[in-house]
Amino acid sequence: MAIELSPPPEVHELAERTRTFIRDRVLPLEDAHDGDITAAGGDTFRVDLQQAAREAGVFAPHAPVEYGGHGLGMSDRAPVFEEAGYSLFGPTALNIAAPDEGNVHMLAHIANPEQKQQYLAPLARGEVRSAFAMTEPAPGAGSDPSALATRAVRADGGWRINGRKWFITGADGAGFFIIMARTSGEPGQRGGATMFLAPADSAGIRVGRHLDTLDRSMVGGHCEVFFEDLLVSDAAVLGEVDRGFEYAQVRLGPARMTHVMRWLGAARRGHDVAVAHVARREGFGSRLGDLGMVQKMIADNEIDIAATRALLTRACWELDRGEPAADATSIAKTFAAEAIFRIIDRSMQMCGGLGVSGDLPLARLSREVRPFRIYDGPSEVHRWAIAKRAVGAAKRALRDAE
Ligand SMILES: Cc1cc2nc3c(=O)[nH]c(=O)nc-3n(C[C@H](O)[C@H](O)[C@H](O)COP(=O)(O)OP(=O)(O)OC[C@H]3O[C@@H](n4cnc5c(N)ncnc54)[C@H](O)[C@@H]3O)c2cc1C
């Protein structure tokens, strides 16, 4: 069977244009603001950056063509998103940052025509931002989504939602929320979740404090959000009642892979910075890059980059074929989240004191990539799921053989 690894010419060209745009327009801004998007101006900054991306013809590579995007599938997104991720501000510039990118993907697949008009169209065009509200403080939903405690109960012509969420990326300043709430069953039971769409200025939605996480590159922070007698109509249900967990999978598999694409770009930047440094810096009668233990770090980075890309390619191929790709996305996400952190960590080590200083971007890259081992499924949860499927298949094989 033939294996085609080269992207189509138009995708290659878009990736090259993205690379130039990021290098010339975005990286200098990231460096000037130490990767802190709030310090750079938050939403005002985002709007200007996105206008520059439109003018450069690189805006919204993922969005459907009818909503002004380039309509790329998962495999074609990979090289473009990786180039965008080379700068911490790149994904925001192209409108492919989390959670908006994943929300565009999910709305394109699940929303009805009216919902697409009201929510997807302005989101794809960068006119508004969005938030995806799933995680709750203990004892609510976290790694275990079945603990979902936010409730939606029947009210006149619609639903009344009550609950508390946290770590909701982009909540401060979002135009609308996608809310995961329990419509049947009890916390701890599988199923019974529904997704609701609600404008952020609805009475009954209150954005609370920002959780002071390590990272600084996502507009709108990671916030607590309170739903207090939020009334929504039946038209606010995304898809069908009680199918929320199913729809979450439509979003999560691809969203995990687009995180990998973007953070792989960041890891590549860290590696490039370190290799350039050790090729120049002299010590012990040679360049640092000629010393064996430094070369080991360089080679290990190259191996981690190549392996991440290979696992990503496989997972995207399965997703583009319409497969659930549960194993492939779990494997790629787990490996990538850990490999990307290792790459940045080795890059800091190679640069000595400079590596942990503000003179190079490595320290800020390190703080940005660390949370990726936790969100979109902690590494332990993915390993547990991969192993459970493997053991389950082995048990079925044993039963069949009896
Ligand atoms: C920067 C950031 C952005 C986020 N953005 C969003 C967002 O936009 N929307 C949203 O809804 N949520 C968001 N989250 C929340 C994120 O999805 C959760 O943090 C994640 O699902 C883990 O849940 P938890 O924090 O409750 O950890 P817990 O569920 O309490 O787990 C804690 C730890 O226990 C271990 N563990 C858990 N289960 C298992 C298992 N089965 N086997 C072995 N070990 C296990 C893991 O080491 C895990 O890290 C974000 C989080 C961060 C850090």
Side-chain angles (χ1 to χ4, degrees):
M1 189 182 76
I3 299 175
E4 181 53 68
L5 290 176
S6 320
E10 65 280 9
V11 174
H12 175 74
E13 202 266 329
L14 181 58
E16 285 301 306
R17 240 180 313 140
T18 302
R19 180 197 293 251
T20 306
F21 171 72
I22 295 294
R23 186 194 56 213
D24 295 348
R25 303 293 304 275
V26 187
L27 276 179
L29 295 168
E30 179 199 320
D31 290 343
H33 297 286
D34 190 27
D36 185 332
I37 207 152
T38 307
D43 259 315
T44 312
F45 177 72
R46 173 185 71 85
V47 168
D48 292 345
L49 211 51
Q50 294 190 342
Q51 185 52 32
R54 274 186 209 96
E55 287 161 14
V58 297
F59 187 74
H62 63 313
V65 175
E66 62 267 38
Y67 296 104
H70 294 257
L72 300 187
M74 291 302 293
S75 301
D76 290 343
R77 282 176 208 185
V80 179
F81 280 38
E82 187 183 320
E83 292 304 338
Y86 202 80
S87 166
L88 295 174
F89 291 173
T92 296
L94 269 66
N95 202 21
I96 56 165
D100 293 335
E101 176 268 334
N103 290 342
V104 163
H105 185 91
M106 189 170 68
L107 291 172
H109 281 82
I110 297 165
N112 63 34
E114 293 73 32
Q115 292 169 335
K116 283 184 178 164
Q117 214 41 50
Q118 186 177 353
Y119 295 104
L120 173 57
L123 183 62
R125 289 195 295 261
E127 291 163 9
V128 295
R129 290 191 292 100
S130 62
F132 183 75
M134 167 77 189
T135 306
E136 301 165 339
S143 305
D144 180 1
S146 74
L148 184 70
T150 296
R151 284 226 177 247
V153 294
R154 270 285 174 203
D156 248 4
W159 300 85
R160 183 189 305 275
I161 303 176
N162 277 288
R164 178 178 160 217
K165 305 280 184 180
W166 70 356
F167 287 101
I168 307 310
T169 304
D172 190 358
F176 68 92
F177 284 81
I178 301 173
I179 307 156
M180 190 76 126
R182 181 170 287 287
T183 36
S184 68
E186 293 301 321
Q189 291 176 346
R190 292 164 70 93
T194 299
M195 284 191 192
F196 295 91
L197 286 156
D201 61 2
S202 308
I205 298 185
R206 184 164 59 86
V207 176
R209 69 185 171 116
H210 286 228
L211 286 111
D212 186 16
T213 52
L214 282 173
D215 57 311
R216 296 280 180 270
S217 70
M218 296 186 195
V219 185
H222 311 291
C223 305
E224 265 190 293
V225 183
F226 300 85
F227 300 107
E228 297 159 327
D229 285 332
L230 167 66
L231 280 170
V232 295
S233 71
D234 281 321
V237 173
L238 180 58
E240 290 172 28
V241 171
D242 280 351
R243 292 186 63 191
F245 287 133
E246 228 176 286
Y247 300 142
Q249 294 314 312
V250 171
R251 183 184 188 283
L252 274 176
R256 282 174 188 138
M257 294 305 92
T258 53
H259 265 311
V260 171
M261 296 168 194
R262 293 181 291 255
W263 291 134
L264 181 57
R268 239 186 55 220
R269 181 180 188 203
H271 179 59
D272 288 351
V273 166
V275 174
H277 178 79
V278 297
R280 218 173 20 240
R281 171 86 164 129
E282 292 177 0
F284 306 101
S286 68
R287 304 293 165 109
L288 292 183
D290 298 325
L291 298 171
M293 278 189 267
V294 172
Q295 290 179 335
K296 179 179 185 302
M297 289 191 271
I298 295 171
D300 285 346
N301 276 1
E302 295 275 349
I303 291 166
D304 273 339
I305 290 169
T308 296
R309 220 179 259 137
L311 292 173
L312 183 60
T313 301
R314 166 78 202 201
C316 289
W317 177 77
E318 288 188 22
L319 287 168
D320 280 337
R321 285 160 57 94
E323 296 174 20
D327 266 341
T329 55
S330 275
I331 290 169
K333 194 277 177 183
T334 307
F335 182 85
E338 295 173 5
I340 286 163
F341 188 75
R342 286 194 297 267
I343 294 164
I344 302 291
D345 195 60
R346 288 187 203 108
S347 302
M348 286 198 292
Q349 190 70 13
M350 284 189 264
C351 294
L354 267 183
V356 292
S357 77
D359 282 15
L360 293 180
L362 300 167
R364 68 169 174 262
L365 289 174
S366 163
R367 90 186 171 220
E368 293 295 323
V369 301
R370 178 61 183 86
F372 186 34
R373 281 159 55 195
I374 294 169
Y375 57 71
D376 280 5
S379 294
E380 294 74 23
V381 175
H382 284 292
R383 284 196 167 85
W384 178 66
I386 294 163
K388 245 186 2 174
R389 282 191 287 268
V391 174
K395 285 180 181 168
R396 280 194 299 280
L398 280 176
R399 269 198 307 273
D400 291 347
E402 279 167 11

